């Protein structure tokens, strides 16, 4: 799984330095060699080698992309101009854009390089409309029947809109992606959110509108048949949903958000906390 082109290797040791699993070391000929048991397949060795001497996990350096990104201001502008879209054209996004979005997902980071996310795409507006109609009908039914109403009281404040036929949950989006993780993934609660954050920004860089959808996530929770319909594999939990499609609205400028509290910790000694304060912190951190 790990090959070094001895003609190319300059014995710089960068691959060894950057191997966080400590799976690499120089052999007697001063060439890096691997302890495969320790490797967790992050491919940092392939990425860091300045002369492209390392192939790993069947991947050759000549098949990697060059790194040419140079304009952080463009990224900042993209982040600032990102919006939640709630108006979409009633048409399919181009196949090319959908393909690019799917391809990008292979590059998102996962804790411990677990790399086992599952993405269920609805990339056909007709399928989306079927899905939407099914969910909306079930919500309206439940909202008008007393015994079930309590389960979905989250939707109560939208009752009027639902009865008016408004698409409160899916915002008229022609597409959605549902990300799921194995329930035993080391970072099951974080990996899906990272993936969708990358998805959102890359989508908006291509003028594709997106919207995080907590309401759809709730629907997946209370209607288990939806996960089956989406072919979410056994042992996986649907984590979050993002709507997307060709926007039917254009934002002319960025917003001006209230700043978060962002503090730099100063040099100093640790405070001695009393027992009660310690316990408060302890339980608060566990929440
Ligand atoms: C985790 C999360 C869940 C959200 N769920 C919904 C949702 O169910 N429906 C919706 O219309 N917007 C949803 N939003 C969008 C937020 O309401 C939105 O971020 C907020 O209105 C600010 O607008 P902006 O994203 O354009 O800055 C969600 C956003 C996040 C981050």
């Amino acid at each position: 799984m790990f090959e070094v082109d001895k003609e190319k290797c300059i014995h710089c040791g960068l691959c060894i330095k950057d191997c966080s699993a400590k799976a690499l070391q120089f052999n007697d000929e001063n060439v890096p060699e691997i302890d495969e048991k320790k490797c967790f397949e992050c491919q940092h060795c392939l990425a860091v080698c300045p002369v492209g001497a390392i192939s790993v996990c069947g991947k050759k350096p000549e098949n990697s992309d060059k790194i040419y990104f140079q304009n952080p201001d463009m990224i900042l502008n993209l982040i600032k101009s990102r919006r939640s879209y709630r108006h979409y054209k009633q048409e399919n996004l181009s196949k090319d854009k959908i393909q690019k979005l799917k391809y990008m997902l292979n590059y998102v980071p996962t804790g411990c390089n677990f790399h086992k996310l599952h993405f269920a795409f609805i990339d056909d507006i007709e399928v989306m409309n079927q899905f939407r109609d099914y969910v909306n009908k079930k919500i309206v039914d439940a909202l008008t029947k007393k015994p079930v109403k309590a389960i979905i009281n989250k939707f109560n404040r939208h009752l009027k809109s639902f009865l008016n036929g408004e698409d409160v949950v899916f915002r008229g989006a022609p597409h959605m992606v549902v990300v799921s993780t194995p329930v035993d993934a080391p970072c099951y609660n974080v990996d899906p959110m990272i993936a969708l954050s990358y998805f959102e920004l890359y989508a908006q860089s291509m003028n594709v509108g997106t919207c995080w959808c907590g309401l759809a996530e709730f629907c997946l929770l209370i209607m288990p048949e939806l996960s089956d319909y989406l072919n979410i594999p056994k042992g996986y939990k649907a984590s979050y949903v993002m709507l997307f499609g060709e926007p039917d609205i254009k934002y002319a400028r960025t917003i001006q958000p209230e700043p978060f509290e962002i503090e730099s910790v100063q040099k100093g000694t640790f405070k001695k906390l009393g027992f009660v304060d310690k316990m408060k912190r302890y339980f608060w951190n566990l929440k």
Side-chain angles (χ1 to χ4, degrees):
M1 72 181 288
F2 179 81
E3 278 174 44
V4 181
D5 184 331
K6 288 186 190 165
E7 303 284 297
K8 286 187 180 165
C9 180
I10 54 169
H11 316 284
C12 63
L14 275 177
C15 54
I16 296 172
K17 180 178 174 183
D18 199 41
C19 177
S20 66
K22 299 201 186 320
L24 297 180
Q25 60 178 24
F26 280 127
N27 65 14
D28 299 341
E29 294 170 67
N30 214 22
V31 172
E33 69 176 15
I34 195 166
D35 177 348
E36 288 188 9
K37 290 190 296 297
K38 292 184 180 168
C39 174
F40 72 132
E41 303 185 5
C42 68
Q43 301 182 28
H44 270 223
C45 48
L46 171 144
V48 79
C49 178
V51 292
I54 293 177
S55 302
V56 71
C57 311
K59 314 290 179 194
K60 295 188 184 334
E62 54 270 28
N63 295 333
S64 288
D65 292 342
K66 293 253 173 331
I67 296 172
Y68 51 78
F69 176 77
Q70 276 184 341
N71 196 335
D73 288 346
M74 294 281 282
I75 290 282
L76 182 60
N77 185 259
L78 177 64
I79 292 168
K80 284 181 169 179
S81 52
R82 176 215 59 80
R83 293 275 69 78
S84 297
Y85 284 78
R86 300 188 181 92
H87 305 279
Y88 295 93
K89 292 202 172 127
Q90 295 308 300
E91 59 189 45
N92 279 328
L93 198 58
S94 75
K95 284 203 166 73
D96 176 55
K97 283 186 179 175
I98 293 185
Q99 205 42 47
K100 283 183 167 150
L101 285 163
K102 289 180 175 172
Y103 169 76
M104 178 282 300
L105 286 169
N106 297 306
Y107 288 83
V108 302
T110 53
C112 305
N113 201 32
F114 199 66
H115 212 78
K116 284 189 182 144
L117 293 172
H118 178 271
F119 298 95
F121 271 80
I122 297 193
D123 42 23
D124 179 340
I125 190 169
E126 282 182 30
V127 179
M128 186 71 203
N129 286 340
Q130 255 182 4
F131 193 83
R132 179 188 344 265
D133 291 348
Y134 176 87
V135 173
N136 284 340
K137 183 173 178 319
K138 243 188 138 171
I139 293 172
V140 173
D141 281 355
L143 282 172
T144 45
K145 282 181 197 140
K146 280 241 160 66
V148 230
K149 208 172 150 181
I151 309 173
I152 62 162
N153 59 9
K154 196 181 179 104
F155 289 127
N156 259 339
R157 68 192 170 100
H158 301 295
L159 179 58
K160 238 183 169 174
S161 311
F162 274 113
L163 293 177
N164 280 340
E166 272 178 48
D167 185 16
V168 177
V169 177
F170 302 103
R171 305 288 184 188
H175 307 296
M176 71 174 197
V177 53
V178 180
V179 55
S180 313
T181 53
V183 286
D184 58 350
C187 297
Y188 66 91
N189 51 352
V190 186
D191 292 344
M193 308 309 159
I194 296 174
L196 290 186
S197 300
Y198 278 53
F199 183 90
E200 176 173 48
L201 282 182
Y202 185 50
Q204 298 210 10
S205 78
M206 294 193 283
N207 292 321
V208 175
T210 60
C211 189
W212 291 83
C213 196
L215 290 179
E217 188 242 351
F218 181 65
C219 292
L220 285 169
L221 200 71
I222 59 171
M223 303 177 199
E225 71 273 24
L226 298 182
S227 295
D228 233 38
Y229 180 78
L230 294 165
N231 281 330
I232 292 169
K234 295 270 172 297
Y236 276 63
K237 181 186 175 303
S239 298
Y240 228 82
V241 181
M242 187 159 277
L243 310 170
F244 67 98
E246 199 68 55
D248 202 16
I249 196 169
K250 192 171 163 48
Y251 294 100
R253 60 194 57 78
T254 68
I255 59 153
Q256 299 168 41
E258 288 306 316
F260 288 125
E261 275 186 52
I262 302 179
E263 286 186 53
S264 301
V265 178
Q266 303 298 322
K267 246 194 254 168
T269 48
F270 284 98
K271 272 190 213 139
K272 281 217 164 90
L273 289 185
F275 179 76
V276 175
D277 282 332
K278 250 192 205 166
M279 286 298 113
K280 270 192 200 158
R281 276 276 175 217
Y282 183 71
F283 286 114
W284 190 244
N285 286 348
L286 282 184
K287 268 190 186 176

PDB file of all heavy atoms in Angstrom, residues 72-87:
ATOM      1  N   PRO A  72      -7.467  34.574  -0.651  1.00  0.00           N
ATOM      2  CA  PRO A  72      -8.316  34.444   0.532  1.00  0.00           C
ATOM      3  C   PRO A  72      -9.471  35.441   0.552  1.00  0.00           C
ATOM      4  O   PRO A  72     -10.536  35.153   1.119  1.00  0.00           O
ATOM      5  CB  PRO A  72      -7.362  34.690   1.704  1.00  0.00           C
ATOM      6  CG  PRO A  72      -6.110  35.222   1.124  1.00  0.00           C
ATOM      7  CD  PRO A  72      -6.074  34.873  -0.318  1.00  0.00           C
ATOM      8  N   ASP A  73      -9.301  36.622  -0.069  1.00  0.00           N
ATOM      9  CA  ASP A  73     -10.393  37.612  -0.077  1.00  0.00           C
ATOM     10  C   ASP A  73     -11.632  37.065  -0.796  1.00  0.00           C
ATOM     11  O   ASP A  73     -12.756  37.374  -0.425  1.00  0.00           O
ATOM     12  CB  ASP A  73      -9.947  38.906  -0.768  1.00  0.00           C
ATOM     13  CG  ASP A  73      -8.965  39.666   0.106  1.00  0.00           C
ATOM     14  OD1 ASP A  73      -8.868  39.330   1.308  1.00  0.00           O
ATOM     15  OD2 ASP A  73      -8.272  40.553  -0.414  1.00  0.00           O
ATOM     16  N   MET A  74     -11.387  36.272  -1.820  1.00  0.00           N
ATOM     17  CA  MET A  74     -12.521  35.683  -2.559  1.00  0.00           C
ATOM     18  C   MET A  74     -13.285  34.731  -1.646  1.00  0.00           C
ATOM     19  O   MET A  74     -14.509  34.692  -1.672  1.00  0.00           O
ATOM     20  CB  MET A  74     -12.021  34.897  -3.786  1.00  0.00           C
ATOM     21  CG  MET A  74     -11.385  35.743  -4.833  1.00  0.00           C
ATOM     22  SD  MET A  74     -12.603  36.577  -5.847  1.00  0.00           S
ATOM     23  CE  MET A  74     -13.120  35.266  -6.919  1.00  0.00           C
ATOM     24  N   ILE A  75     -12.551  33.954  -0.857  1.00  0.00           N
ATOM     25  CA  ILE A  75     -13.214  33.006   0.050  1.00  0.00           C
ATOM     26  C   ILE A  75     -13.990  33.770   1.117  1.00  0.00           C
ATOM     27  O   ILE A  75     -15.126  33.424   1.453  1.00  0.00           O
ATOM     28  CB  ILE A  75     -12.183  32.065   0.714  1.00  0.00           C
ATOM     29  CG1 ILE A  75     -11.612  31.100  -0.304  1.00  0.00           C
ATOM     30  CG2 ILE A  75     -12.803  31.293   1.873  1.00  0.00           C
ATOM     31  CD1 ILE A  75     -12.516  29.934  -0.641  1.00  0.00           C
ATOM     32  N   LEU A  76     -13.384  34.829   1.652  1.00  0.00           N
ATOM     33  CA  LEU A  76     -14.083  35.615   2.675  1.00  0.00           C
ATOM     34  C   LEU A  76     -15.366  36.219   2.094  1.00  0.00           C
ATOM     35  O   LEU A  76     -16.422  36.201   2.733  1.00  0.00           O
ATOM     36  CB  LEU A  76     -13.157  36.711   3.230  1.00  0.00           C
ATOM     37  CG  LEU A  76     -13.776  37.560   4.337  1.00  0.00           C
ATOM     38  CD1 LEU A  76     -14.176  36.697   5.526  1.00  0.00           C
ATOM     39  CD2 LEU A  76     -12.811  38.653   4.796  1.00  0.00           C
ATOM     40  N   ASN A  77     -15.282  36.711   0.877  1.00  0.00           N
ATOM     41  CA  ASN A  77     -16.466  37.289   0.247  1.00  0.00           C
ATOM     42  C   ASN A  77     -17.547  36.224   0.033  1.00  0.00           C
ATOM     43  O   ASN A  77     -18.742  36.479   0.230  1.00  0.00           O
ATOM     44  CB  ASN A  77     -16.081  37.944  -1.086  1.00  0.00           C
ATOM     45  CG  ASN A  77     -17.259  38.652  -1.698  1.00  0.00           C
ATOM     46  OD1 ASN A  77     -17.898  38.141  -2.622  1.00  0.00           O
ATOM     47  ND2 ASN A  77     -17.606  39.815  -1.157  1.00  0.00           N
ATOM     48  N   LEU A  78     -17.113  35.022  -0.304  1.00  0.00           N
ATOM     49  CA  LEU A  78     -18.064  33.918  -0.481  1.00  0.00           C
ATOM     50  C   LEU A  78     -18.747  33.595   0.849  1.00  0.00           C
ATOM     51  O   LEU A  78     -19.965  33.413   0.915  1.00  0.00           O
ATOM     52  CB  LEU A  78     -17.308  32.689  -1.002  1.00  0.00           C
ATOM     53  CG  LEU A  78     -18.105  31.407  -1.191  1.00  0.00           C
ATOM     54  CD1 LEU A  78     -19.185  31.585  -2.257  1.00  0.00           C
ATOM     55  CD2 LEU A  78     -17.189  30.250  -1.577  1.00  0.00           C
ATOM     56  N   ILE A  79     -17.951  33.563   1.917  1.00  0.00           N
ATOM     57  CA  ILE A  79     -18.512  33.260   3.244  1.00  0.00           C
ATOM     58  C   ILE A  79     -19.492  34.361   3.657  1.00  0.00           C
ATOM     59  O   ILE A  79     -20.584  34.083   4.163  1.00  0.00           O
ATOM     60  CB  ILE A  79     -17.376  33.113   4.285  1.00  0.00           C
ATOM     61  CG1 ILE A  79     -16.549  31.852   3.989  1.00  0.00           C
ATOM     62  CG2 ILE A  79     -17.930  33.071   5.715  1.00  0.00           C
ATOM     63  CD1 ILE A  79     -15.255  31.749   4.757  1.00  0.00           C
ATOM     64  N   LYS A  80     -19.087  35.612   3.404  1.00  0.00           N
ATOM     65  CA  LYS A  80     -19.959  36.734   3.794  1.00  0.00           C
ATOM     66  C   LYS A  80     -21.239  36.767   2.973  1.00  0.00           C
ATOM     67  O   LYS A  80     -22.283  37.191   3.464  1.00  0.00           O
ATOM     68  CB  LYS A  80     -19.227  38.066   3.580  1.00  0.00           C
ATOM     69  CG  LYS A  80     -18.182  38.400   4.612  1.00  0.00           C
ATOM     70  CD  LYS A  80     -17.594  39.749   4.237  1.00  0.00           C
ATOM     71  CE  LYS A  80     -16.728  40.347   5.303  1.00  0.00           C
ATOM     72  NZ  LYS A  80     -16.161  41.645   4.857  1.00  0.00           N
ATOM     73  N   SER A  81     -21.159  36.347   1.725  1.00  0.00           N
ATOM     74  CA  SER A  81     -22.337  36.495   0.863  1.00  0.00           C
ATOM     75  C   SER A  81     -23.227  35.249   0.870  1.00  0.00           C
ATOM     76  O   SER A  81     -24.294  35.236   0.265  1.00  0.00           O
ATOM     77  CB  SER A  81     -21.912  36.840  -0.567  1.00  0.00           C
ATOM     78  OG  SER A  81     -20.960  35.907  -1.016  1.00  0.00           O
ATOM     79  N   ARG A  82     -22.798  34.201   1.582  1.00  0.00           N
ATOM     80  CA  ARG A  82     -23.626  32.998   1.707  1.00  0.00           C
ATOM     81  C   ARG A  82     -24.972  33.331   2.368  1.00  0.00           C
ATOM     82  O   ARG A  82     -25.006  34.041   3.357  1.00  0.00           O
ATOM     83  CB  ARG A  82     -22.882  31.968   2.579  1.00  0.00           C
ATOM     84  CG  ARG A  82     -23.677  30.708   2.874  1.00  0.00           C
ATOM     85  CD  ARG A  82     -23.394  30.189   4.262  1.00  0.00           C
ATOM     86  NE  ARG A  82     -23.714  31.157   5.286  1.00  0.00           N
ATOM     87  CZ  ARG A  82     -24.947  31.392   5.738  1.00  0.00           C
ATOM     88  NH1 ARG A  82     -25.967  30.734   5.259  1.00  0.00           N
ATOM     89  NH2 ARG A  82     -25.167  32.308   6.671  1.00  0.00           N
ATOM     90  N   ARG A  83     -26.079  32.876   1.798  1.00  0.00           N
ATOM     91  CA  ARG A  83     -27.392  33.107   2.401  1.00  0.00           C
ATOM     92  C   ARG A  83     -28.185  31.806   2.396  1.00  0.00           C
ATOM     93  O   ARG A  83     -27.894  30.892   1.634  1.00  0.00           O
ATOM     94  CB  ARG A  83     -28.209  34.152   1.624  1.00  0.00           C
ATOM     95  CG  ARG A  83     -27.708  35.583   1.630  1.00  0.00           C
ATOM     96  CD  ARG A  83     -28.173  36.395   2.836  1.00  0.00           C
ATOM     97  NE  ARG A  83     -27.587  35.977   4.095  1.00  0.00           N
ATOM     98  CZ  ARG A  83     -26.344  36.270   4.507  1.00  0.00           C
ATOM     99  NH1 ARG A  83     -25.549  37.001   3.779  1.00  0.00           N
ATOM    100  NH2 ARG A  83     -25.895  35.820   5.670  1.00  0.00           N
ATOM    101  N   SER A  84     -29.200  31.759   3.262  1.00  0.00           N
ATOM    102  CA  SER A  84     -30.150  30.644   3.231  1.00  0.00           C
ATOM    103  C   SER A  84     -31.210  30.981   2.194  1.00  0.00           C
ATOM    104  O   SER A  84     -31.917  31.979   2.341  1.00  0.00           O
ATOM    105  CB  SER A  84     -30.821  30.492   4.598  1.00  0.00           C
ATOM    106  OG  SER A  84     -29.860  30.165   5.565  1.00  0.00           O
ATOM    107  N   TYR A  85     -31.290  30.155   1.165  1.00  0.00           N
ATOM    108  CA  TYR A  85     -32.235  30.432   0.070  1.00  0.00           C
ATOM    109  C   TYR A  85     -33.569  29.750   0.344  1.00  0.00           C
ATOM    110  O   TYR A  85     -33.609  28.571   0.685  1.00  0.00           O
ATOM    111  CB  TYR A  85     -31.659  29.945  -1.272  1.00  0.00           C
ATOM    112  CG  TYR A  85     -30.598  30.876  -1.806  1.00  0.00           C
ATOM    113  CD1 TYR A  85     -29.305  30.856  -1.294  1.00  0.00           C
ATOM    114  CD2 TYR A  85     -30.889  31.802  -2.810  1.00  0.00           C
ATOM    115  CE1 TYR A  85     -28.332  31.725  -1.757  1.00  0.00           C
ATOM    116  CE2 TYR A  85     -29.916  32.669  -3.292  1.00  0.00           C
ATOM    117  CZ  TYR A  85     -28.649  32.623  -2.766  1.00  0.00           C
ATOM    118  OH  TYR A  85     -27.691  33.488  -3.230  1.00  0.00           O
ATOM    119  N   ARG A  86     -34.646  30.529   0.160  1.00  0.00           N
ATOM    120  CA  ARG A  86     -35.992  29.968   0.359  1.00  0.00           C
ATOM    121  C   ARG A  86     -36.888  30.206  -0.854  1.00  0.00           C
ATOM    122  O   ARG A  86     -38.100  30.111  -0.756  1.00  0.00           O
ATOM    123  CB  ARG A  86     -36.608  30.557   1.635  1.00  0.00           C
ATOM    124  CG  ARG A  86     -35.782  30.235   2.881  1.00  0.00           C
ATOM    125  CD  ARG A  86     -36.453  30.642   4.158  1.00  0.00           C
ATOM    126  NE  ARG A  86     -35.618  30.345   5.313  1.00  0.00           N
ATOM    127  CZ  ARG A  86     -34.745  31.195   5.858  1.00  0.00           C
ATOM    128  NH1 ARG A  86     -34.597  32.408   5.345  1.00  0.00           N
ATOM    129  NH2 ARG A  86     -34.026  30.846   6.913  1.00  0.00           N
ATOM    130  N   HIS A  87     -36.226  30.539  -1.976  1.00  0.00           N
ATOM    131  CA  HIS A  87     -36.956  30.710  -3.249  1.00  0.00           C
ATOM    132  C   HIS A  87     -36.135  30.044  -4.347  1.00  0.00           C
ATOM    133  O   HIS A  87     -34.975  30.425  -4.559  1.00  0.00           O
ATOM    134  CB  HIS A  87     -37.163  32.191  -3.566  1.00  0.00           C
ATOM    135  CG  HIS A  87     -37.859  32.920  -2.451  1.00  0.00           C
ATOM    136  ND1 HIS A  87     -39.228  32.878  -2.295  1.00  0.00           N
ATOM    137  CD2 HIS A  87     -37.373  33.657  -1.429  1.00  0.00           C
ATOM    138  CE1 HIS A  87     -39.551  33.576  -1.217  1.00  0.00           C
ATOM    139  NE2 HIS A  87     -38.450  34.058  -0.669  1.00  0.00           N
TER     140      HIS A  87
END
